[in-house]
Amino acid sequence: MSHPVPPTLRPSSDGSASELPFGLAALVLLAMVIARLSADWGTPLPGCTTRQLTGFPCPFCGTTRCLVAVSHLDFATALALNPLSFLLGLGLAIWTGLAIAARMGKKPVRYPRWFAIRRLPWKWIVPAVLLLNWLYLWRSLPE
């Protein structure tokens, strides 16, 4: 029985595919700087439109406060404010780190065998995770 070859992260020859984690990380860092400066200067940012119109939080309510908590290195509070946003940011940090390692190294970075991410049932996982995060936020976020 043949085992599937684990995927690798290698520098692309044209540079296009390997730029994605850096671009996303730059956008998240920019959002974090804006959120932190807004909090430090007392300048309010626009609130969640979904919450303002319906009274219910969206699956990403609390992300701005989560980014502020991360900028203060308060990871427990960031996780409590919006678990999905925090874990997505952590995943992005890991992905960016792997992209940096692939760019710096001669050999491609190999993912572990269990990391067969393309074979996961994403059409069920994504809605379930969004729903669970939304239910958590509905019960835990302050008014």
Side-chain angles (χ1 to χ4, degrees), residues 40-103:
D40 288 350
W41 294 344
T43 308
L45 292 172
C48 176
T49 305
T50 303
R51 192 166 189 173
Q52 290 172 351
L53 293 176
T54 66
F56 301 114
C58 74
F60 293 99
C61 269
T63 298
T64 304
R65 288 176 282 179
C66 175
L67 288 172
V68 172
V70 168
S71 74
H72 285 111
L73 302 179
D74 187 359
F75 301 120
T77 301
L79 182 63
L81 286 169
N82 192 313
L84 181 58
S85 294
F86 179 78
L87 293 174
L88 285 173
L90 181 62
L92 178 60
I94 292 168
W95 186 25
T96 305
L98 288 171
I100 290 170
R103 185 168 282 185

Side-chain angles (χ1 to χ4, degrees), residues 5-54:
V5 177
T8 60
L9 182 66
R10 64 182 81 211
S12 62
S13 58
D14 64 354
S16 60
S18 64
E19 299 299 321
L20 183 61
F22 299 111
L24 291 174
L27 287 174
V28 170
L29 286 174
L30 178 64
M32 190 182 320
V33 167
I34 291 170
R36 172 77 183 258
L37 291 175
S38 172
D40 288 350
W41 294 344
T43 308
L45 292 172
C48 176
T49 305
T50 303
R51 192 166 189 173
Q52 290 172 351
L53 293 176
T54 66

